[in-house]
Amino acid sequence: MNKLRLVLSVAFISFGLLAFSQTINEAGDALNNAISHYKAKNFTSAIEEYKKCIEICQSLDSDAAYDLLDKAESSLTKTYLSLGLAQYKAKKFDQAISTFETAQKQAKDSNSQKAATQYLSRVYNSKGTLFFNKDKFAEALAAFDKSLQLDPKYVKAVYCKTLVYKKQDNIPAFVAEMDKLIAMGSETDKTVRKAKSVASGFFIAEGGKALQVQKYAKAVEMLNKGFAYKSGNSQAYYFAAIAYNGLKQWNKAIESANKALSLEKGSKSNIYFELAKAYEGAGNKTQARTTYAKVTDGPNVAAAKHKIENELK
């Protein structure tokens, strides 16, 4: 009887070892299959094989199983990230969001969690841009805010918000977000430089609109806001010269006109005309005559000639 028990015990042990061997081999096969699928960029199949390996290893209690489990779990996170990136590049934003959220939840290390979070932020920003291009501004702002919630230092999302507010003519919000963006970045940051250019261009255009209806004080206010973000071009300083002449602030008009002249590469006649007006207003007739004489083309030639021949003798 004891002999029979011994034989049965040996048989059960042998069977258990065989079952374990088959199971750990199955886990290894699943891992190898997953690696092959990953190399072929068949990420969905790779994920299923990694999950299969993990499920088998979790049912076992051995060092070999633990080693396979660790490899499978870390590789699964990497595969989710790769799948999410592929979906993102294909502009399948909702699928990418779901994939990155899964990666974020099941990641075992902080670097993987950080990567998933940053990718999520980028996807939401791209989704917001898609809404923006369709004039769905409320949805765009919600997506940009979600992007910033995930990555508060993502300057591109702040920049995108400024574009929404600009489209909505929400000037206070536009300025607030633009200033926040500039404070977040550095002078070498491409997005910050672009933001400054956009802000400057916006206010200079507003200054030009004010000039058209002869609101000279408003024009000066808008132009100076633009200059605070970025130095203007010749046209911007020419606008400033017109506005200051309209306000009879002759010295500022002279300064602005000279800046415009230093930047202008083409015809300078219109700028010389405003500069001459400023000299005339300041009481410098000699300089005014000399400057009016430089108006040699454009719509102000006759007016300049009249000034020289009749008013500044």
Side-chain angles (χ1 to χ4, degrees):
M1 189 62 143
N2 289 337
K3 210 175 209 185
L4 178 59
R5 286 179 182 170
L6 180 60
V7 170
L8 287 174
S9 297
V10 170
F12 280 127
I13 291 170
S14 298
F15 178 78
L17 288 173
L18 178 62
F20 171 79
S21 177
Q22 287 177 332
T23 306
I24 199 71
N25 285 339
E26 288 174 0
D29 289 342
L31 183 64
N32 289 330
N33 289 337
I35 292 170
S36 296
H37 284 308
Y38 183 87
K39 288 180 178 178
K41 297 186 177 180
N42 189 353
F43 302 125
T44 301
S45 296
I47 287 170
E48 292 307 311
E49 290 294 327
Y50 280 128
K51 285 182 176 179
K52 181 179 178 181
C53 177
I54 290 168
E55 184 179 358
I56 294 170
C57 291
Q58 286 175 338
S59 67
L60 303 175
D61 185 14
S62 73
D63 290 341
Y66 296 147
D67 287 342
L68 285 179
L69 179 63
D70 185 57
K71 290 177 183 177
E73 286 182 336
S74 62
S75 296
L76 179 60
T77 303
K78 179 182 175 182
T79 307
Y80 272 122
L81 293 176
S82 297
L83 175 61
L85 279 173
Q87 293 167 333
Y88 178 32
K89 290 176 181 177
K91 300 187 186 303
K92 297 177 180 179
F93 298 138
D94 289 335
Q95 291 181 31
I97 287 170
S98 177
T99 301
F100 285 134
E101 284 178 342
T102 301
Q104 189 182 46
K105 289 175 184 176
Q106 72 93 46
K108 301 298 183 181
D109 63 279
S110 59
N111 287 336
S112 296
Q113 288 180 337
K114 183 178 179 181
T117 301
Q118 286 187 334
Y119 285 139
L120 270 172
S121 175
R122 275 50 172 177
V123 178
Y124 274 109
N125 188 70
S126 294
K127 190 174 181 180
T129 301
L130 194 64
F131 284 131
F132 174 78
N133 291 335
K134 294 179 180 179
D135 292 338
K136 295 182 176 181
F137 300 130
E139 293 89 339
L141 285 173
F144 296 141
D145 283 337
K146 181 63 176 178
S147 176
L148 287 167
Q149 179 184 335
L150 290 161
D151 185 357
K153 295 182 179 180
Y154 189 35
V155 294
K156 196 169 183 179
V158 182
Y159 175 69
C160 288
K161 287 185 71 175
T162 69
L163 298 182
V164 175
Y165 291 131
K166 182 173 178 284
K167 271 273 192 178
Q168 293 179 321
D169 288 326
N170 188 342
I171 308 306
F174 169 76
V175 172
E177 291 299 321
M178 192 63 74
D179 290 344
K180 180 195 299 183
L181 167 61
I182 292 169
M184 285 170 63
S186 65
E187 292 299 322
T188 58
D189 192 307
K190 183 179 178 181
T191 303
V192 171
R193 293 200 306 271
K194 188 175 181 181
K196 286 185 175 183
S197 183
V198 168
S200 178
F202 172 78
F203 284 114
I204 288 170
E206 291 296 304
K209 291 177 185 178
L211 278 182
Q212 290 176 355
V213 291
Q214 298 183 341
K215 292 184 177 181
Y216 300 121
K218 181 70 172 179
V220 165
E221 178 189 356
M222 293 293 102
L223 290 167
N224 283 331
K225 282 186 177 182
F227 297 150
Y229 287 104
K230 183 183 176 182
S231 296
N233 56 20
S234 62
Q235 185 182 50
Y237 289 113
Y238 169 61
F239 285 169
I242 296 172
Y244 282 124
N245 273 337
L247 294 171
K248 298 182 179 181
Q249 296 181 20
W250 313 119
N251 289 335
K252 289 183 178 180
I254 291 168
E255 180 183 355
S256 297
N258 279 322
K259 283 184 179 179
L261 287 170
S262 69
L263 296 169
E264 181 58 58
K265 303 300 182 183
S267 174
K268 299 181 179 183
S269 285
N270 288 343
I271 303 171
Y272 279 127
F273 188 76
E274 289 301 321
L275 180 57
K277 283 172 64 176
Y279 282 132
E280 183 182 0
N284 191 338
K285 290 185 177 183
T286 301
Q287 194 65 54
R289 281 175 59 85
T290 301
T291 307
Y292 276 128
K294 294 179 181 180
V295 181
T296 57
D297 60 69
N300 296 314
V301 172
K305 185 177 179 181
H306 178 81
K307 287 283 187 180
I308 294 169
E309 294 178 353
N310 297 288
E311 297 182 30
L312 296 171
K313 290 183 176 180

